[in-house]
Amino acid sequence: MTNTTPVPAKLSPIVYFIGFTGALAGLLFGLDIGVISGAEGLIQKSFSITDQVIELVVSSLLWGAVFGTLISGILSNRLGRRGAILISAVIFILGSLVCAFSPDAHLLIAARFFLGIAIGVASFTAPLYLSEISPQRVRGSMISMYQLMITIGIVLAFLSNTWLANYANFDWLLGDHYKSVLGAGNWRVMLGIVALPAFLMFLGVLFLPESPRWLFLKGKKALAVSVFERMHLPTDEISKEVVEIEESLRVRQNGFQMFRDNSNFRRAIGLGIGLQIIQQLTGINVIMYYAPRIFKIAGFTSTEHQLWGTVIVGVTNVLATFIAIAFVDRIGRKPIMYAGFAVMGVAMIAVGTLFNMDLEKSPALGIWAIGALLIFIVGFAMSAGPIIWVICAEIFPLSGRDLGVTFSTATNWIVNAIVGGTFLTLLDKFGNGNTFLLYGGLNALFVIFFLCFVPETKGISLEKIEANLLSGKRLKEIGR
Ligand code: BGC
């Protein structure tokens, strides 16, 4: 018997190069998220600043990201996706260096805001670029690769922090001036070292082709086709991609007008905003930004143990992301989210309850608390981490997708900044245990939001979701 199913042509290495280089933006985003947890304690010591100023050091980057997201639409439309990613790479390099050389906390806060702009632009543009340039058959995995890169970036930052804080010695570099110039504990190197991968990304992006979809948008059809040819795609696949792009471009982006006139679109925007608020209020970034402090609360007093603890958190985060990647299209978004919320809720409540006990009397409780914290990370990485981004990419009608994604991504960063900027105050006002109980309670509550408003979007075309939404169906049902 002959097999009639055509075997898809093997992808050329250049496609992998494009996917990898585009996804490097995710790596940098992760590096900058992860790097601060190991550095903040040292920065606090070195500048003798209060917890409130440290909260600003942490969150200024995130406010920069909000700003970056808001200008990304315009940047990536005017300069092209590649141009916007290049600009973000330059800001990543400059921002990391200015952070590393900041003479005081004020300049550090300003430099982190500036660096945040790069993260905002990258977090909007890189997934867009990847989704536009990748052949349809590998689109899903290219975007997942970006998500995975974020978690790998976080873990690399945790590893680099651990090495720099415990084992690295830069005395040879600056001799006697070392202590006064670099400050205690190498935090300046921690922040500055990110300029290196940023420079590599800059070089890589120079070789990237522009997004064919954007070239079409600007009327440069021949150039767009030549990009596909450079990727060595078979001719019939190129024709298919071209037809698809031409069809989708017939729908003009008129998000603002749609927002004003169409209440169904506004409902989708509300859903996207709600989902991103929920993702951040799970409390994930409290751990990402302040893990060493949490290990300290649990009774791990040495910096070395605290930082190795962050590495375990980071590795758990990477590995559990594969659970989502494996099951999101098989089991569906909502069952995974329910499981995730159950795991996250129970784990956070356990952490809170244990932190409310007398850890000095029974140090074993601290170890249990860290166990629960890791279970929380598994719950997040297998569900809300990737899946909220997936759903947000699916629910907006095509002609308002840019605006919808801008709104939801900006919300992610705003709430991210609020969470990052209030944790130490919460610990101080409510106590260690109660702060975690608060986040645990929120996770349990989010199940209700999912029950009432969130559609299951597994295995349904984006066109059908759009038609359902615009016909006025309840949000929960637009995936049927
Ligand atoms: C979130 C980030 C978070 C990361 C952790 C992402 O999905 O948007 O805020 O730091 O997951 O892996």
Side-chain angles (χ1 to χ4, degrees):
M1 229 171 67
T2 50
N3 186 355
T4 49
T5 321
V7 182
K10 264 181 85 182
L11 291 170
S12 107
I14 188 165
V15 177
Y16 293 105
F17 168 78
I18 291 172
F20 177 76
T21 313
L24 270 185
L27 190 87
L28 282 179
F29 162 2
L31 281 171
D32 275 309
I33 295 262
V35 82
I36 199 63
S37 73
E40 57 92 11
L42 303 170
I43 294 171
Q44 185 165 34
K45 246 191 246 157
S46 156
F47 289 145
S48 313
I49 45 181
T50 62
D51 278 356
Q52 279 63 45
V53 179
I54 275 296
E55 284 176 336
L56 277 177
V57 170
V58 171
S59 59
S60 53
L61 177 102
L62 310 165
W63 290 114
V66 174
F67 180 73
T69 308
L70 293 177
I71 60 167
S72 297
I74 300 172
L75 271 184
S76 64
N77 186 14
R78 295 259 164 90
L79 308 175
R81 302 359 180 172
R82 183 177 165 273
I85 299 179
L86 261 183
I87 289 195
S88 85
V90 173
I91 303 180
F92 267 123
I93 301 171
L94 295 178
S96 311
L97 293 177
V98 180
C99 281
F101 288 102
S102 298
D104 56 37
H106 292 122
L107 193 69
L108 182 58
I109 291 168
R112 279 183 52 84
F113 180 89
F114 179 63
L115 185 59
I117 298 176
I119 299 193
V121 173
S123 71
F124 179 94
T125 318
L128 182 71
Y129 175 79
L130 288 173
S131 72
E132 289 181 346
I133 198 161
S134 33
Q136 206 171 355
R137 57 191 152 119
V138 289
R139 193 161 298 160
S141 43
M142 284 257 205
I143 300 174
S144 308
M145 176 133 120
Y146 169 78
Q147 289 293 332
L148 199 65
M149 282 283 203
I150 296 177
T151 60
I152 294 176
I154 294 176
V155 92
L156 286 181
F158 287 169
L159 272 170
S160 137
N161 287 345
T162 306
W163 174 66
L164 285 166
N166 298 302
Y167 314 110
N169 185 335
F170 283 90
D171 291 1
W172 56 272
L173 193 67
L174 293 162
D176 291 343
H177 296 299
Y178 163 69
K179 274 265 143 39
S180 60
V181 178
L182 281 185
N186 293 338
W187 69 263
R188 291 178 186 279
V189 187
M190 288 179 188
L191 300 190
I193 212 168
V194 182
L196 246 146
F199 183 66
L200 288 182
M201 172 169 115
F202 176 79
L203 290 182
V205 176
L206 285 180
F207 293 99
L208 282 186
E210 184 44 90
S211 143
R213 193 174 187 282
W214 183 81
L215 289 169
F216 259 94
L217 196 70
K218 298 287 162 188
K220 299 176 181 166
K221 184 172 168 179
L223 260 180
V225 173
S226 76
V227 171
F228 284 132
E229 283 165 357
R230 269 173 62 198
M231 290 162 70
H232 303 294
L233 296 189
T235 358
D236 54 337
E237 193 167 6
I238 296 183
S239 323
K240 237 178 78 196
E241 296 280 348
V242 166
V243 169
E244 200 199 286
I245 293 177
E246 281 180 328
E247 255 168 33
S248 77
L249 285 182
R250 243 172 254 139
V251 188
R252 271 193 41 233
Q253 284 292 315
N254 61 351
F256 282 110
Q257 195 188 343
M258 209 178 180
F259 185 77
R260 214 184 43 214
D261 302 338
N262 191 323
S263 63
N264 289 321
F265 180 50
R266 289 199 294 273
R267 288 188 306 139
I269 296 253
L271 178 60
I273 288 179
L275 287 168
Q276 291 290 10
I277 292 178
I278 286 178
Q279 194 209 42
Q280 291 303 313
L281 289 188
T282 57
I284 180 65
N285 285 320
V286 155
I287 305 170
M288 293 299 143
Y289 304 146
Y290 297 103
R293 287 202 192 224
I294 300 174
F295 277 88
K296 193 168 168 191
I297 297 172
F300 295 83
T301 44
S302 92
T303 320
E304 191 174 0
H305 289 162
Q306 287 164 17
L307 288 174
W308 276 112
T310 63
V311 174
I312 297 174
V313 165
V315 171
T316 310
N317 190 29
V318 174
L319 294 181
T321 305
F322 286 103
I323 306 180
I325 294 175
F327 292 116
V328 64
D329 287 322
R330 275 197 259 166
I331 302 181
R333 286 75 167 131
K334 283 179 79 174
I336 302 183
M337 286 304 305
Y338 289 132
F341 282 129
V343 173
M344 288 189 283
V346 170
M348 270 297 199
I349 289 172
V351 176
T353 311
L354 289 161
F355 278 177
N356 271 342
M357 295 178 174
D358 192 344
L359 294 180
E360 271 177 33
K361 239 195 213 157
S362 352
L365 294 180
I367 301 190
W368 282 101
I370 295 303
L373 196 78
L374 291 176
I375 294 176
F376 169 85
I377 298 282
V378 172
F380 176 85
M382 65 178 247
S383 66
I387 290 177
I388 298 286
W389 291 109
V390 171
I391 306 179
C392 281
E394 294 174 329
I395 53 173
F396 299 113
L398 188 56
S399 57
R401 195 161 292 155
D402 284 4
L403 190 75
V405 173
T406 303
F407 268 122
S408 58
T409 308
T411 305
N412 177 287
W413 289 112
I414 291 171
V415 188
N416 199 324
I418 295 173
V419 169
T422 51
F423 180 59
L424 301 179
T425 309
L426 286 179
L427 290 182
D428 187 43
K429 294 252 156 44
F430 292 141
N432 299 340
N434 292 346
T435 301
F436 285 90
L437 286 178
L438 172 75
Y439 280 114
L442 285 173
N443 275 294
L445 270 183
F446 295 151
V447 172
I448 303 174
F449 184 89
F450 265 73
L451 277 172
C452 299
F453 300 113
V454 182
E456 176 56 76
T457 48
K458 176 192 100 173
I460 175 169
S461 74
L462 297 186
E463 291 70 29
K464 182 86 185 139
I465 296 177
E466 173 165 349
N468 283 339
L469 174 79
L470 297 181
S471 73
K473 268 196 175 181
R474 287 166 60 198
L475 282 174
K476 200 182 141 181
E477 271 145 26
I478 60 173
R480 295 216 184 125

